[in-house]
Protein backbone atom coordinates (compact mmCIF):
# COMPACT_ATOMS: atom_id res chain seq x y z
CA UNK A 1 0.00 0.00 0.00
CA UNK A 2 1.09 3.55 -0.68
CA UNK A 3 -0.22 5.36 2.38
CA UNK A 4 0.12 9.17 2.54
CA UNK A 5 1.78 10.62 5.60
CA UNK A 6 -0.62 13.40 6.46
CA UNK A 7 -2.13 14.15 9.87
CA UNK A 8 -5.26 15.82 8.47
CA UNK A 9 -7.73 13.51 6.71
CA UNK A 10 -9.33 14.95 3.58
CA UNK A 11 -12.77 13.42 3.92
CA UNK A 12 -15.30 16.25 3.78
CA UNK A 13 -16.57 15.84 7.33
CA UNK A 14 -13.05 16.02 8.79
CA UNK A 15 -12.11 19.00 6.63
CA UNK A 16 -15.20 20.92 7.70
CA UNK A 17 -14.41 20.25 11.33
CA UNK A 18 -10.80 21.33 10.88
CA UNK A 19 -11.84 24.56 9.17
CA UNK A 20 -14.50 25.25 11.78
CA UNK A 21 -12.05 24.68 14.65
CA UNK A 22 -9.33 26.70 12.90
CA UNK A 23 -7.07 23.64 12.78
CA UNK A 24 -6.50 24.15 9.05
CA UNK A 25 -7.03 26.63 6.24
CA UNK A 26 -7.57 26.01 2.53
CA UNK A 27 -4.02 27.16 1.82
CA UNK A 28 -2.49 24.72 4.32
CA UNK A 29 -4.61 21.93 2.86
CA UNK A 30 -3.49 22.81 -0.68
CA UNK A 31 0.14 22.82 0.44
CA UNK A 32 -0.37 19.38 1.99
CA UNK A 33 -2.05 18.04 -1.17
CA UNK A 34 0.85 19.08 -3.37
CA UNK A 35 3.36 17.65 -0.89
CA UNK A 36 1.51 14.34 -1.13
CA UNK A 37 1.49 14.46 -4.92
CA UNK A 38 5.22 15.15 -5.00
CA UNK A 39 5.93 12.22 -2.67
CA UNK A 40 3.64 9.68 -4.36
CA UNK A 41 5.27 8.12 -7.42
CA UNK A 42 2.31 5.89 -8.34
CA UNK A 43 2.04 5.85 -12.15
CA UNK A 44 -1.08 6.43 -14.19
CA UNK A 45 -3.09 8.53 -11.73
CA UNK A 46 -2.99 12.03 -13.22
CA UNK A 47 -2.88 13.36 -16.77
CA UNK A 48 -2.72 17.05 -15.88
CA UNK A 49 -2.02 18.54 -12.43
CA UNK A 50 -2.64 22.26 -12.15
CA UNK A 51 0.13 24.61 -11.10
CA UNK A 52 0.36 24.68 -7.32
CA UNK A 53 0.52 28.49 -7.29
CA UNK A 54 -2.77 28.77 -9.20
CA UNK A 55 -4.59 26.48 -6.77
CA UNK A 56 -2.98 28.25 -3.83
CA UNK A 57 -4.22 31.60 -5.15
CA UNK A 58 -7.76 30.20 -5.25
CA UNK A 59 -7.40 28.89 -1.70
CA UNK A 60 -6.24 32.27 -0.39
CA UNK A 61 -9.06 33.99 -2.21
CA UNK A 62 -11.49 31.71 -0.40
CA UNK A 63 -9.92 32.70 2.90
CA UNK A 64 -10.30 36.38 2.05
CA UNK A 65 -13.82 36.09 0.68
CA UNK A 66 -15.19 33.87 3.43
CA UNK A 67 -13.89 34.70 6.89
CA UNK A 68 -14.61 32.29 9.73
CA UNK A 69 -18.28 31.47 9.87
CA UNK A 70 -19.20 32.56 6.34
CA UNK A 71 -18.33 29.62 4.17
CA UNK A 72 -19.89 27.83 1.20
CA UNK A 73 -20.66 24.10 1.57
CA UNK A 74 -17.50 22.78 -0.13
CA UNK A 75 -15.18 25.47 1.20
CA UNK A 76 -11.58 24.41 0.62
CA UNK A 77 -12.39 20.83 -0.44
CA UNK A 78 -9.89 19.53 -3.05
CA UNK A 79 -11.25 17.40 -5.89
CA UNK A 80 -10.17 15.76 -9.15
CA UNK A 81 -11.85 15.58 -12.56
CA UNK A 82 -11.75 12.66 -14.98
CA UNK A 83 -10.12 13.79 -18.21
CA UNK A 84 -13.20 13.37 -20.36
CA UNK A 85 -14.91 16.21 -18.46
CA UNK A 86 -14.04 19.78 -19.41
CA UNK A 87 -12.17 22.10 -17.07
CA UNK A 88 -11.70 25.53 -18.62
CA UNK A 89 -8.14 26.25 -19.77
CA UNK A 90 -6.97 22.64 -19.29
CA UNK A 91 -6.73 20.22 -22.23
CA UNK A 92 -9.32 17.47 -22.40
CA UNK A 93 -7.50 14.43 -23.80
CA UNK A 94 -9.78 11.46 -23.01
CA UNK A 95 -6.38 9.68 -22.77
CA UNK A 96 -5.61 10.35 -26.43
CA UNK A 97 -3.06 13.12 -26.97
CA UNK A 98 -3.89 13.60 -30.67
CA UNK A 99 -7.56 14.14 -29.80
CA UNK A 100 -6.88 16.82 -27.17
CA UNK A 101 -8.64 20.19 -27.18
CA UNK A 102 -8.62 23.01 -24.65
CA UNK A 103 -12.11 24.18 -23.64
CA UNK A 104 -12.71 27.80 -22.79
CA UNK A 105 -15.29 26.92 -20.15
CA UNK A 106 -15.72 24.15 -17.62
CA UNK A 107 -18.54 21.63 -17.63
CA UNK A 108 -21.48 22.81 -15.48
CA UNK A 109 -20.83 20.06 -12.91
CA UNK A 110 -17.32 21.44 -12.40
CA UNK A 111 -18.53 25.03 -12.22
CA UNK A 112 -21.14 24.17 -9.59
CA UNK A 113 -18.53 22.51 -7.39
CA UNK A 114 -16.06 25.38 -7.71
CA UNK A 115 -18.79 27.93 -7.01
CA UNK A 116 -19.43 26.05 -3.76
CA UNK A 117 -15.79 26.52 -2.70
CA UNK A 118 -14.24 23.27 -3.98
CA UNK A 119 -10.68 23.42 -5.35
CA UNK A 120 -9.90 21.57 -8.58
CA UNK A 121 -6.46 19.94 -8.40
CA UNK A 122 -6.35 18.56 -11.94
CA UNK A 123 -7.43 15.95 -14.48
CA UNK A 124 -7.15 12.20 -13.92
CA UNK A 125 -6.33 9.23 -16.13
CA UNK A 126 -8.88 6.91 -17.76
CA UNK A 127 -9.28 4.07 -20.17
CA UNK A 128 -9.00 5.81 -23.53
CA UNK A 129 -12.30 7.43 -24.57
CA UNK A 130 -13.84 5.92 -21.41
CA UNK A 131 -13.91 2.52 -23.13
CA UNK A 132 -13.06 -0.19 -20.63
CA UNK A 133 -13.73 -1.42 -17.10
CA UNK A 134 -10.24 -2.53 -16.09
CA UNK A 135 -8.14 0.65 -16.11
CA UNK A 136 -5.38 -0.74 -18.34
CA UNK A 137 -6.16 1.01 -21.65
CA UNK A 138 -4.31 4.30 -21.41
CA UNK A 139 -1.09 5.60 -22.96
CA UNK A 140 -0.69 7.70 -19.80
CA UNK A 141 0.07 4.64 -17.68
CA UNK A 142 -1.76 2.00 -15.70
CA UNK A 143 -2.46 2.76 -12.04
CA UNK A 144 -1.86 -0.46 -10.09
CA UNK A 145 -4.38 -1.67 -7.59
CA UNK A 146 -3.45 0.02 -4.30
CA UNK A 147 -3.93 -3.22 -2.32
CA UNK A 148 -1.86 -5.44 -4.64
CA UNK A 149 -0.02 -4.00 -7.64
CA UNK A 150 -0.47 -7.22 -9.64
CA UNK A 151 -4.19 -6.54 -9.94
CA UNK A 152 -6.18 -4.01 -11.95
CA UNK A 153 -7.53 -0.82 -10.39
CA UNK A 154 -10.71 -0.77 -12.48
CA UNK A 155 -11.87 1.64 -15.14
CA UNK A 156 -12.62 3.54 -17.05
CA UNK A 157 -12.37 6.04 -14.18
CA UNK A 158 -9.06 4.59 -13.04
CA UNK A 159 -7.29 7.83 -12.17
CA UNK A 160 -10.27 9.31 -10.32
CA UNK A 161 -10.48 6.25 -8.09
CA UNK A 162 -6.71 6.13 -7.58
CA UNK A 163 -6.57 9.80 -6.56
CA UNK A 164 -9.27 9.39 -3.91
CA UNK A 165 -8.05 6.01 -2.63
CA UNK A 166 -4.51 7.35 -2.16
CA UNK A 167 -5.63 10.50 -0.35
CA UNK A 168 -4.68 12.98 -3.06
CA UNK A 169 -8.14 14.61 -2.99
CA UNK A 170 -11.39 14.46 -1.04
CA UNK A 171 -13.53 13.25 -3.95
CA UNK A 172 -13.42 13.00 -7.73
CA UNK A 173 -15.75 13.46 -10.66
CA UNK A 174 -15.95 10.47 -12.96
CA UNK A 175 -18.27 9.05 -15.59
CA UNK A 176 -20.19 5.78 -15.79
CA UNK A 177 -21.81 4.31 -18.88
CA UNK A 178 -21.46 0.58 -18.24
CA UNK A 179 -19.87 0.59 -14.78
CA UNK A 180 -16.90 2.94 -15.20
CA UNK A 181 -17.53 4.55 -11.83
CA UNK A 182 -18.71 1.52 -9.87
CA UNK A 183 -16.03 -1.01 -10.86
CA UNK A 184 -13.01 1.14 -9.87
CA UNK A 185 -14.82 2.10 -6.67
CA UNK A 186 -14.99 -1.58 -5.74
CA UNK A 187 -11.35 -2.22 -6.61
CA UNK A 188 -10.12 0.78 -4.58
CA UNK A 189 -12.38 0.29 -1.53
CA UNK A 190 -14.36 3.44 -2.26
CA UNK A 191 -17.93 4.61 -2.67
CA UNK A 192 -19.02 5.12 -6.27
CA UNK A 193 -22.29 7.04 -6.64
CA UNK A 194 -23.91 6.62 -10.05
CA UNK A 195 -26.79 9.10 -9.78
CA UNK A 196 -30.03 8.86 -11.70
CA UNK A 197 -29.19 9.83 -15.27
CA UNK A 198 -29.88 13.48 -15.99
CA UNK A 199 -29.68 14.80 -12.42
CA UNK A 200 -26.09 15.86 -13.15
CA UNK A 201 -25.55 17.66 -16.43
CA UNK A 202 -23.43 15.88 -19.05
CA UNK A 203 -22.78 19.08 -21.01
CA UNK A 204 -19.02 19.47 -21.35
CA UNK A 205 -18.54 15.69 -21.03
CA UNK A 206 -17.12 13.80 -24.01
CA UNK A 207 -19.78 11.23 -24.95
CA UNK A 208 -19.11 7.51 -24.73
CA UNK A 209 -22.64 6.28 -25.41
CA UNK A 210 -24.51 9.53 -25.06
CA UNK A 211 -27.91 7.93 -24.45
CA UNK A 212 -26.55 6.16 -21.35
CA UNK A 213 -23.71 8.36 -20.06
CA UNK A 214 -23.77 9.56 -16.47
CA UNK A 215 -21.49 11.79 -14.38
CA UNK A 216 -20.59 10.01 -11.15
CA UNK A 217 -18.83 10.70 -7.84
CA UNK A 218 -15.93 8.83 -6.24
CA UNK A 219 -15.62 9.36 -2.49
CA UNK A 220 -14.46 7.75 0.73
CA UNK A 221 -17.95 7.58 2.28
CA UNK A 222 -21.56 7.75 1.16
CA UNK A 223 -21.92 11.01 3.06
CA UNK A 224 -19.09 12.61 1.08
CA UNK A 225 -20.55 11.36 -2.21
CA UNK A 226 -23.92 12.81 -1.27
CA UNK A 227 -22.42 16.17 -0.25
CA UNK A 228 -20.70 16.52 -3.61
CA UNK A 229 -23.68 15.26 -5.61
CA UNK A 230 -26.04 17.74 -3.96
CA UNK A 231 -23.89 20.57 -5.24
CA UNK A 232 -23.03 19.12 -8.66
CA UNK A 233 -26.64 18.25 -9.48
CA UNK A 234 -29.02 20.69 -11.12
CA UNK A 235 -31.20 20.97 -14.18
CA UNK A 236 -29.34 22.29 -17.23
CA UNK A 237 -31.65 23.60 -19.94
CA UNK A 238 -28.74 23.64 -22.39
CA UNK A 239 -28.21 19.89 -21.98
CA UNK A 240 -30.84 17.89 -23.88
CA UNK A 241 -30.20 14.90 -21.62
CA UNK A 242 -30.73 16.85 -18.38
CA UNK A 243 -33.82 15.96 -16.37
CA UNK A 244 -35.32 18.10 -13.59
CA UNK A 245 -35.68 16.46 -10.22
CA UNK A 246 -39.31 16.06 -9.13
CA UNK A 247 -40.65 18.47 -6.53
CA UNK A 248 -40.44 15.86 -3.77
CA UNK A 249 -36.83 14.86 -4.57
CA UNK A 250 -34.27 15.33 -1.81
CA UNK A 251 -30.76 13.93 -1.43
CA UNK A 252 -31.39 12.90 2.18
CA UNK A 253 -33.34 9.90 3.42
CA UNK A 254 -33.45 7.59 6.41
CA UNK A 255 -33.00 3.84 6.48
CA UNK A 256 -36.44 2.32 7.19
CA UNK A 257 -37.10 1.86 10.90
CA UNK A 258 -39.07 -1.33 10.36
CA UNK A 259 -37.98 -4.48 8.53
CA UNK A 260 -36.93 -3.49 5.01
CA UNK A 261 -36.86 -5.76 1.99
CA UNK A 262 -33.75 -6.07 -0.15
CA UNK A 263 -33.60 -7.96 -3.43
CA UNK A 264 -30.61 -10.21 -4.08
CA UNK A 265 -29.95 -12.35 -7.18
CA UNK A 266 -31.11 -15.94 -7.39
CA UNK A 267 -28.26 -18.42 -6.90
CA UNK A 268 -28.48 -19.47 -10.55
CA UNK A 269 -27.90 -15.86 -11.65
CA UNK A 270 -24.74 -15.39 -9.59
CA UNK A 271 -21.41 -15.87 -11.34
CA UNK A 272 -18.08 -15.38 -9.55
CA UNK A 273 -14.50 -15.58 -10.69
CA UNK A 274 -13.28 -17.21 -7.50
CA UNK A 275 -14.44 -18.57 -4.16
CA UNK A 276 -13.31 -15.49 -2.25
CA UNK A 277 -15.68 -13.29 -4.26
CA UNK A 278 -18.58 -15.68 -3.63
CA UNK A 279 -17.83 -15.81 0.09
CA UNK A 280 -17.67 -12.02 0.28
CA UNK A 281 -21.14 -11.65 -1.23
CA UNK A 282 -22.50 -14.26 1.18
CA UNK A 283 -21.05 -12.22 4.07
CA UNK A 284 -22.60 -9.05 2.64
CA UNK A 285 -26.03 -10.71 2.56
CA UNK A 286 -25.57 -11.90 6.15
CA UNK A 287 -24.66 -8.36 7.18
CA UNK A 288 -27.84 -7.02 5.58
CA UNK A 289 -29.92 -9.55 7.49
CA UNK A 290 -28.15 -8.64 10.73
CA UNK A 291 -29.13 -5.03 10.05
CA UNK A 292 -32.80 -6.04 9.89
CA UNK A 293 -33.27 -6.46 6.15
CA UNK A 294 -35.43 -9.24 4.74
CA UNK A 295 -33.79 -10.69 1.62
CA UNK A 296 -35.89 -11.64 -1.39
CA UNK A 297 -34.51 -13.53 -4.37
CA UNK A 298 -34.88 -11.64 -7.64
CA UNK A 299 -34.39 -12.94 -11.18
CA UNK A 300 -31.59 -11.12 -12.95
CA UNK A 301 -32.61 -12.40 -16.40
CA UNK A 302 -34.12 -9.13 -17.68
CA UNK A 303 -31.30 -7.11 -16.09
CA UNK A 304 -28.58 -9.21 -17.70
CA UNK A 305 -30.32 -9.21 -21.08
CA UNK A 306 -30.44 -5.41 -20.98
CA UNK A 307 -26.73 -5.29 -20.16
CA UNK A 308 -25.91 -7.51 -23.11
CA UNK A 309 -27.63 -5.07 -25.45
CA UNK A 310 -24.98 -2.41 -24.80
CA UNK A 311 -21.88 -4.13 -26.17
CA UNK A 312 -23.16 -7.34 -27.76
CA UNK A 313 -25.62 -5.73 -30.14
CA UNK A 314 -26.38 -2.72 -32.29
CA UNK A 315 -26.41 -0.21 -29.44
CA UNK A 316 -22.60 -0.38 -29.49
CA UNK A 317 -22.84 1.73 -32.66
CA UNK A 318 -23.48 4.77 -30.47
CA UNK A 319 -19.88 4.57 -29.24
CA UNK A 320 -18.72 5.10 -32.80
CA UNK A 321 -21.27 7.86 -33.41
CA UNK A 322 -19.61 10.10 -30.85
CA UNK A 323 -16.09 9.63 -32.24
CA UNK A 324 -16.64 8.79 -35.89
CA UNK A 325 -14.94 11.86 -37.40
CA UNK A 326 -11.76 11.32 -35.38
CA UNK A 327 -11.92 7.54 -35.86
CA UNK A 328 -12.05 7.90 -39.65
CA UNK A 329 -9.37 10.61 -39.82
CA UNK A 330 -6.86 9.39 -37.19
CA UNK A 331 -7.35 5.65 -36.56
CA UNK A 332 -3.68 5.14 -35.71
CA UNK A 333 -4.00 7.62 -32.84
CA UNK A 334 -6.37 5.24 -31.07
CA UNK A 335 -5.17 2.26 -29.06
CA UNK A 336 -5.65 -0.98 -31.03
CA UNK A 337 -8.12 -2.53 -28.59
CA UNK A 338 -10.22 0.66 -28.54
CA UNK A 339 -10.04 0.84 -32.33
CA UNK A 340 -11.36 -2.72 -32.54
CA UNK A 341 -14.26 -1.94 -30.25
CA UNK A 342 -15.20 1.25 -32.09
CA UNK A 343 -15.08 -0.57 -35.44
CA UNK A 344 -17.89 -2.81 -34.25
CA UNK A 345 -20.19 0.15 -34.75
CA UNK A 346 -19.97 -0.38 -38.51
CA UNK A 347 -21.35 -3.92 -38.28
CA UNK A 348 -24.99 -3.10 -37.60
CA UNK A 349 -27.66 -1.56 -39.84
CA UNK A 350 -29.98 1.07 -38.42
CA UNK A 351 -32.83 -1.44 -38.33
CA UNK A 352 -30.89 -3.52 -35.78
CA UNK A 353 -30.37 -0.48 -33.59
CA UNK A 354 -34.10 0.23 -33.56
CA UNK A 355 -34.90 -3.38 -32.73
CA UNK A 356 -32.47 -3.21 -29.83
CA UNK A 357 -34.05 -0.03 -28.50
CA UNK A 358 -37.52 -1.55 -28.76
CA UNK A 359 -36.35 -4.60 -26.83
CA UNK A 360 -34.76 -2.37 -24.22
CA UNK A 361 -38.08 -0.59 -23.64
CA UNK A 362 -39.71 -3.96 -23.02
CA UNK A 363 -36.99 -4.88 -20.51
CA UNK A 364 -37.40 -1.57 -18.68
CA UNK A 365 -41.07 -2.43 -18.28
CA UNK A 366 -40.23 -5.98 -17.23
CA UNK A 367 -38.12 -4.89 -14.24
CA UNK A 368 -40.55 -2.25 -12.96
CA UNK A 369 -42.48 -4.68 -10.69
CA UNK A 370 -39.23 -5.39 -8.84
CA UNK A 371 -39.41 -2.00 -7.15
CA UNK A 372 -42.88 -2.69 -5.74
CA UNK A 373 -41.45 -5.65 -3.83
CA UNK A 374 -38.05 -4.47 -2.64
CA UNK A 375 -36.47 -1.20 -1.50
CA UNK A 376 -33.28 -1.93 -3.45
CA UNK A 377 -31.51 -4.65 -5.39
CA UNK A 378 -28.06 -5.55 -4.02
CA UNK A 379 -25.60 -7.27 -6.36
CA UNK A 380 -21.86 -7.94 -6.31
CA UNK A 381 -20.21 -4.98 -7.98
CA UNK A 382 -18.01 -7.35 -10.02
CA UNK A 383 -17.66 -11.13 -10.28
CA UNK A 384 -14.05 -10.88 -9.09
CA UNK A 385 -10.89 -8.84 -9.52
CA UNK A 386 -8.45 -9.90 -12.29
CA UNK A 387 -4.70 -9.50 -12.52
CA UNK A 388 -3.13 -7.11 -15.00
CA UNK A 389 -1.50 -10.00 -16.87
CA UNK A 390 -4.90 -11.67 -17.31
CA UNK A 391 -6.19 -8.54 -19.04
CA UNK A 392 -3.13 -8.52 -21.29
CA UNK A 393 -3.84 -12.10 -22.35
CA UNK A 394 -7.56 -11.54 -22.97
CA UNK A 395 -8.14 -7.77 -23.22
CA UNK A 396 -11.73 -7.89 -24.47
CA UNK A 397 -13.14 -10.99 -22.80
CA UNK A 398 -11.72 -10.38 -19.33
CA UNK A 399 -12.84 -6.77 -19.47
CA UNK A 400 -16.39 -7.72 -20.53
CA UNK A 401 -16.76 -10.16 -17.63
CA UNK A 402 -16.19 -7.31 -15.17
CA UNK A 403 -19.45 -5.65 -16.25
CA UNK A 404 -21.86 -8.49 -15.53
CA UNK A 405 -23.53 -6.65 -12.63
CA UNK A 406 -23.00 -3.07 -13.82
CA UNK A 407 -23.65 -2.81 -17.56
CA UNK A 408 -27.45 -2.84 -17.27
CA UNK A 409 -27.67 0.02 -14.76
CA UNK A 410 -27.96 2.98 -17.09
CA UNK A 411 -29.84 1.10 -19.80
CA UNK A 412 -32.62 0.33 -17.31
CA UNK A 413 -32.55 3.91 -15.96
CA UNK A 414 -31.42 2.92 -12.48
CA UNK A 415 -29.54 4.76 -9.77
CA UNK A 416 -26.71 2.93 -8.05
CA UNK A 417 -24.29 3.18 -5.14
CA UNK A 418 -21.23 0.93 -5.13
CA UNK A 419 -19.94 0.53 -1.60
CA UNK A 420 -17.11 -1.47 0.01
CA UNK A 421 -18.16 -4.76 1.59
CA UNK A 422 -14.81 -5.57 3.16
CA UNK A 423 -11.40 -7.06 2.40
CA UNK A 424 -11.11 -10.63 1.20
CA UNK A 425 -8.81 -13.12 2.98
CA UNK A 426 -6.19 -12.39 0.31
CA UNK A 427 -6.28 -8.69 1.22
CA UNK A 428 -8.03 -7.56 -1.97
CA UNK A 429 -11.04 -5.24 -1.76
CA UNK A 430 -14.59 -6.30 -2.58
CA UNK A 431 -17.84 -4.44 -2.90
CA UNK A 432 -21.56 -4.59 -3.53
CA UNK A 433 -23.88 -2.19 -5.33
CA UNK A 434 -27.28 -0.96 -4.18
CA UNK A 435 -29.56 -0.37 -7.18
CA UNK A 436 -32.98 1.23 -7.44
CA UNK A 437 -35.28 3.01 -9.89
CA UNK A 438 -34.69 6.53 -11.20
CA UNK A 439 -34.89 9.05 -8.37
CA UNK A 440 -34.11 6.60 -5.56
CA UNK A 441 -30.66 8.11 -5.00
CA UNK A 442 -31.27 9.30 -1.43
CA UNK A 443 -32.70 5.99 -0.24
CA UNK A 444 -29.84 4.05 -1.84
CA UNK A 445 -27.25 6.32 -0.24
CA UNK A 446 -28.90 5.90 3.15
CA UNK A 447 -28.99 2.10 2.91
CA UNK A 448 -25.49 1.83 1.43
CA UNK A 449 -24.16 4.26 4.04
CA UNK A 450 -25.63 2.23 6.90
CA UNK A 451 -24.21 -0.96 5.37
CA UNK A 452 -20.76 0.61 4.99
CA UNK A 453 -20.69 2.12 8.48
CA UNK A 454 -21.53 -1.19 10.14
CA UNK A 455 -18.14 -2.62 9.11
CA UNK A 456 -16.32 0.35 7.58
CA UNK A 457 -12.85 -1.06 7.01
CA UNK A 458 -10.14 1.17 5.51
CA UNK A 459 -10.86 4.38 3.63
CA UNK A 460 -9.10 3.48 0.40
CA UNK A 461 -5.47 3.12 1.44
CA UNK A 462 -5.31 6.50 3.15
CA UNK A 463 -4.86 5.11 6.64
CA UNK A 464 -7.29 7.75 7.89
CA UNK A 465 -9.76 6.95 10.67
CA UNK A 466 -13.45 6.52 9.96
CA UNK A 467 -14.84 10.08 10.06
CA UNK A 468 -16.91 11.28 12.97
CA UNK A 469 -20.49 11.68 11.83
CA UNK A 470 -22.23 14.98 12.39
CA UNK A 471 -25.64 16.25 11.43
CA UNK A 472 -25.64 17.45 7.85
CA UNK A 473 -27.23 20.38 6.14
CA UNK A 474 -28.77 19.55 2.80
CA UNK A 475 -28.34 21.84 -0.18
CA UNK A 476 -31.67 23.40 -1.17
CA UNK A 477 -33.38 22.13 -4.28
CA UNK A 478 -34.04 24.55 -7.09
CA UNK A 479 -36.81 26.93 -6.10
CA UNK A 480 -36.37 26.26 -2.36
CA UNK A 481 -34.87 28.16 0.57
CA UNK A 482 -33.36 26.64 3.69
CA UNK A 483 -34.44 28.10 7.03
CA UNK A 484 -33.16 27.17 10.50
CA UNK A 485 -35.68 27.55 13.32
CA UNK A 486 -34.79 27.52 16.99
CA UNK A 487 -37.90 28.09 19.10
CA UNK A 488 -41.64 28.41 18.57
CA UNK A 489 -41.37 27.20 14.96
CA UNK A 490 -39.81 23.83 15.86
CA UNK A 491 -41.82 20.68 15.14
CA UNK A 492 -44.68 20.42 17.64
CA UNK A 493 -44.31 24.01 18.79
CA UNK A 494 -47.16 26.56 18.47
CA UNK A 495 -45.90 28.42 15.37
CA UNK A 496 -44.78 25.40 13.35
CA UNK A 497 -47.92 25.71 11.26
CA UNK A 498 -46.55 28.93 9.73
CA UNK A 499 -44.00 26.68 8.02
CA UNK A 500 -46.17 23.72 7.04
CA UNK A 501 -48.95 25.97 5.69
CA UNK A 502 -46.40 27.34 3.22
CA UNK A 503 -45.35 23.94 1.99
CA UNK A 504 -42.16 23.76 4.04
CA UNK A 505 -40.64 20.34 4.77
CA UNK A 506 -38.28 19.30 7.55
CA UNK A 507 -34.81 18.55 6.17
CA UNK A 508 -32.72 17.83 9.26
CA UNK A 509 -32.31 18.30 12.99
CA UNK A 510 -28.87 19.68 13.74
CA UNK A 511 -27.06 22.28 15.84
CA UNK A 512 -25.54 25.67 15.32
CA UNK A 513 -21.82 26.27 15.20
CA UNK A 514 -20.42 26.72 18.73
CA UNK A 515 -20.55 30.53 18.61
CA UNK A 516 -24.17 31.20 19.64
CA UNK A 517 -25.97 31.77 22.93
CA UNK A 518 -29.66 31.18 23.50
CA UNK A 519 -31.77 33.42 25.72
CA UNK A 520 -35.36 33.29 26.93
CA UNK A 521 -36.75 36.56 25.55
CA UNK A 522 -39.14 38.07 28.12
CA UNK A 523 -42.61 39.24 27.18
CA UNK A 524 -43.04 37.23 23.97
CA UNK A 525 -46.28 35.41 23.11
CA UNK A 526 -46.11 32.57 22.48
CA UNK A 527 -42.83 32.30 24.42
CA UNK A 528 -39.79 32.54 22.17
CA UNK A 529 -36.03 32.30 22.56
CA UNK A 530 -33.45 34.64 21.10
CA UNK A 531 -30.32 33.37 19.40
CA UNK A 532 -27.32 35.72 19.51
CA UNK A 533 -23.91 35.16 17.94
CA UNK A 534 -20.94 35.77 20.23
CA UNK A 535 -17.21 36.12 19.78
CA UNK A 536 -16.41 33.33 22.21
CA UNK A 537 -16.57 29.65 21.35
CA UNK A 538 -19.16 27.67 23.32
CA UNK A 539 -18.66 23.99 24.12
CA UNK A 540 -21.58 22.90 21.93
CA UNK A 541 -24.02 24.47 19.53
CA UNK A 542 -27.73 25.08 20.00
CA UNK A 543 -30.41 22.69 18.71
CA UNK A 544 -32.13 23.85 15.52
CA UNK A 545 -34.24 22.35 12.76
CA UNK A 546 -33.56 23.08 9.11
CA UNK A 547 -36.65 23.41 6.91
CA UNK A 548 -36.92 23.72 3.14
CA UNK A 549 -39.48 26.28 1.98
CA UNK A 550 -40.60 27.29 -1.53
CA UNK A 551 -38.97 30.56 -2.51
CA UNK A 552 -42.30 32.13 -3.43
CA UNK A 553 -43.58 31.57 0.13
CA UNK A 554 -40.50 32.96 1.86
CA UNK A 555 -41.54 36.61 1.65
CA UNK A 556 -44.90 36.05 3.32
CA UNK A 557 -43.17 34.12 6.09
CA UNK A 558 -40.63 36.86 6.77
CA UNK A 559 -43.51 39.34 7.05
CA UNK A 560 -44.67 37.45 10.15
CA UNK A 561 -41.35 37.94 11.94
CA UNK A 562 -41.26 40.98 14.21
CA UNK A 563 -38.57 42.66 16.29
CA UNK A 564 -36.54 41.86 18.24
CA UNK A 565 -36.36 38.69 16.15
CA UNK A 566 -35.10 38.77 12.58
CA UNK A 567 -34.05 36.43 9.78
CA UNK A 568 -30.33 36.50 9.08
CA UNK A 569 -27.48 34.16 8.13
CA UNK A 570 -26.93 31.35 10.60
CA UNK A 571 -23.86 29.09 10.72
CA UNK A 572 -24.44 25.41 11.44
CA UNK A 573 -22.10 22.90 13.04
CA UNK A 574 -21.01 21.51 9.69
CA UNK A 575 -19.75 24.97 8.67
CA UNK A 576 -22.53 25.70 6.20
CA UNK A 577 -24.79 28.75 6.40
CA UNK A 578 -28.54 29.01 6.00
CA UNK A 579 -31.21 31.59 6.70
CA UNK A 580 -32.24 31.45 10.34
CA UNK A 581 -33.75 33.21 13.35
CA UNK A 582 -31.50 35.66 15.18
CA UNK A 583 -32.21 38.20 17.90
CA UNK A 584 -31.20 41.82 18.38
CA UNK A 585 -28.61 41.88 21.20
CA UNK A 586 -30.34 44.67 23.17
CA UNK A 587 -33.42 42.48 23.63
CA UNK A 588 -31.55 39.89 25.71
CA UNK A 589 -29.91 42.31 28.12
CA UNK A 590 -30.79 40.91 31.53
CA UNK A 591 -32.60 37.93 29.95
CA UNK A 592 -32.00 34.39 31.17
CA UNK A 593 -29.15 32.65 29.35
CA UNK A 594 -30.45 29.15 28.55
CA UNK A 595 -27.58 28.01 26.33
CA UNK A 596 -26.59 25.28 28.80
CA UNK A 597 -29.87 23.46 28.11
CA UNK A 598 -28.76 22.90 24.52
CA UNK A 599 -32.00 24.04 22.94
CA UNK A 600 -35.49 25.44 23.38
CA UNK A 601 -37.24 22.09 23.82
CA UNK A 602 -34.91 21.03 26.61
CA UNK A 603 -35.41 24.35 28.36
CA UNK A 604 -39.20 24.06 28.16
CA UNK A 605 -39.05 20.53 29.52
CA UNK A 606 -36.50 21.08 32.26
CA UNK A 607 -35.84 24.72 32.90
CA UNK A 608 -38.97 26.83 32.51
CA UNK A 609 -40.10 27.90 35.96
CA UNK A 610 -42.57 30.61 36.75
CA UNK A 611 -42.40 33.88 34.85
CA UNK A 612 -39.05 33.39 33.21
CA UNK A 613 -40.19 33.48 29.57
Amino acid sequence: MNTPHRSLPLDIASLRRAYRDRAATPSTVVASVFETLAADETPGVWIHVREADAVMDEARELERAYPAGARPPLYGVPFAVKDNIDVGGIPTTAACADFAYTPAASAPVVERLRAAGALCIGKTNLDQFATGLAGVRSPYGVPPNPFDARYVSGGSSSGSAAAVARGHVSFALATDTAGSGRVPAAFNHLVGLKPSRGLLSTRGVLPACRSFDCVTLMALTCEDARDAAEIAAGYDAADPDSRPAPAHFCWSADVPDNRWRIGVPRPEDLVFGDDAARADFDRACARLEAMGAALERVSLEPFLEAGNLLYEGAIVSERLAGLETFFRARPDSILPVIRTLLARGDQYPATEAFRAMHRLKALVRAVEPTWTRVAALVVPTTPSIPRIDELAADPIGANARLGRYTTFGNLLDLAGVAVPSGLRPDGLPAGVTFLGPWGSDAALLAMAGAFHAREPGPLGVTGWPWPKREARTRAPRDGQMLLAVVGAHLSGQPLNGQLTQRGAALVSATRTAPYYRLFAVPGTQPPKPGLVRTRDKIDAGVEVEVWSMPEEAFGSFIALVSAPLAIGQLELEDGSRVHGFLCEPHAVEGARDITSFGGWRAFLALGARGNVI
Side-chain angles (χ1 to χ4, degrees), residues 112 233-236 244-247 249 475-481 548 550-551:
R112 293 176 72 93
Y235 178 66
D236 179 7
F249 182 86
R477 303 191 308 272
D478 292 344
Q480 298 279 314
M481 303 283 286
S548 179
E551 290 178 346

Side-chain angles (χ1 to χ4, degrees), residues 186-236:
F187 291 170
N188 286 268
H189 218 255
L190 300 175
V191 170
L193 167 61
K194 190 209 75 60
S196 297
R197 279 193 299 111
L199 290 182
L200 277 65
S201 172
T202 53
R203 183 160 56 93
V205 179
L206 182 69
C209 284
R210 178 170 170 174
S211 298
F212 307 109
D213 291 342
C214 184
V215 174
T216 66
L217 283 303
M218 297 277 194
L220 295 168
T221 66
C222 288
E223 289 75 16
D224 281 7
R226 177 168 43 203
D227 279 357
E230 283 180 329
I231 301 301
Y235 178 66
D236 179 7

Side-chain angles (χ1 to χ4, degrees), residues 133 153-158 161 179-190 218:
L133 293 174
S153 63
S156 63
S157 307
S158 55
S180 289
R182 290 162 282 165
V183 171
F187 291 170
N188 286 268
H189 218 255
L190 300 175
M218 297 277 194

